[in-house]
Amino acid sequence: MAVQGPSLAQLVDPRTREGELWQPLPDGRLRCYACGHRCVIPPGQRGICKVRYNEGGRLRVPWGYVAGLQLDPIEKKPFFHAYPGAQALSFGMLGCDFHCGYCFRGDTPVLTPTGAVPIKAIFDGARERIAVPGADVSFPLGVRVVSASGEVRPVVKSFRHSYRGPVSVIKPMYLPAVRCTPVHR
């Protein structure tokens, strides 16, 4: 018999506090503004992220822990007025929903040491895949890409989800067009 561990809610809920990015709505509901989904959350329910929830008409949000930590070159970040070559500390918490509204299309090329490859080809080339709510995750082996800082790094995961909506086309001079959702950073 398999032993089941604690649920995500049992792990995260004790590590929450009242959030700031929300608006009260009628009937105890609230609108969360923490991401682009702008979830309307009824009392006792969770947003699409599964870590922000409505407790008594107040938004509870993760607080007091770090789930991921990375030291990146400043060139990867959308910051201005920073010294080239400086480092930026990034951290994150649980709650990625794997189907954000600001993703690239599968035909978007990424640079590898052997040339440009569409994101879809990297996803499709992986042998191992899992399904998560609203998305598929693949784990490519031996695939390396050139990062925004110019470093060659391994691809750990690739995501695929369906998206129906507008697509923006960015046409940099002397480079191929990039297609992404309008709210992509």
Side-chain angles (χ1 to χ4, degrees):
M1 175 191 266
V3 177
Q4 187 173 349
S7 70
L8 178 62
Q10 290 169 324
L11 293 171
V12 173
D13 289 0
R15 295 168 179 86
T16 64
R17 69 179 183 119
E18 186 174 331
E20 298 175 5
L21 300 174
W22 64 280
Q23 169 188 25
L25 297 174
D27 302 322
R29 298 175 308 136
L30 60 86
R31 180 177 303 277
C32 176
Y33 291 103
C35 77
H37 289 291
R38 308 292 193 252
C39 292
V40 173
I41 309 172
Q45 299 296 311
R46 294 177 180 276
I48 199 165
C49 65
K50 304 295 183 215
V51 296
R52 290 172 182 80
Y53 61 96
N54 182 339
E55 181 180 74
R58 320 275 300 157
L59 182 68
R60 300 294 299 181
V61 301
W63 180 82
Y65 71 91
V66 173
L69 186 67
Q70 180 70 36
L71 188 62
D72 289 316
I74 197 71
E75 290 82 5
K76 283 181 68 178
K77 304 298 179 185
F79 301 149
F80 300 98
H81 309 294
Y83 289 111
Q87 299 285 303
L89 182 64
S90 302
F91 66 93
M93 303 172 116
L94 297 173
C96 178
D97 56 27
F98 300 116
H99 56 291
C100 55
Y102 37 85
C103 287
F104 289 108
R105 292 173 36 107
D107 61 355
T108 302
V110 292
L111 188 59
T112 71
T114 58
V117 176
I119 293 172
K120 182 181 185 321
I122 293 172
F123 181 90
D124 291 342
R127 291 184 182 165
E128 183 183 352
R129 292 184 195 163
I130 61 169
V132 296
D136 295 310
V137 182
S138 77
F139 302 89
L141 293 176
V143 177
R144 295 162 41 98
V145 296
V146 179
S147 71
S149 66
E151 294 178 75
V152 177
R153 299 189 133 181
V155 174
V156 178
K157 296 177 187 173
S158 179
F159 302 91
R160 176 179 65 190
H161 62 87
S162 61
Y163 170 75
R164 295 183 206 281
V167 173
S168 296
V169 179
I170 301 165
K171 296 179 184 175
M173 191 176 290
Y174 307 114
L175 295 171
V178 175
R179 292 168 180 79
C180 60
T181 56
V183 294
H184 194 284
R185 297 180 295 225

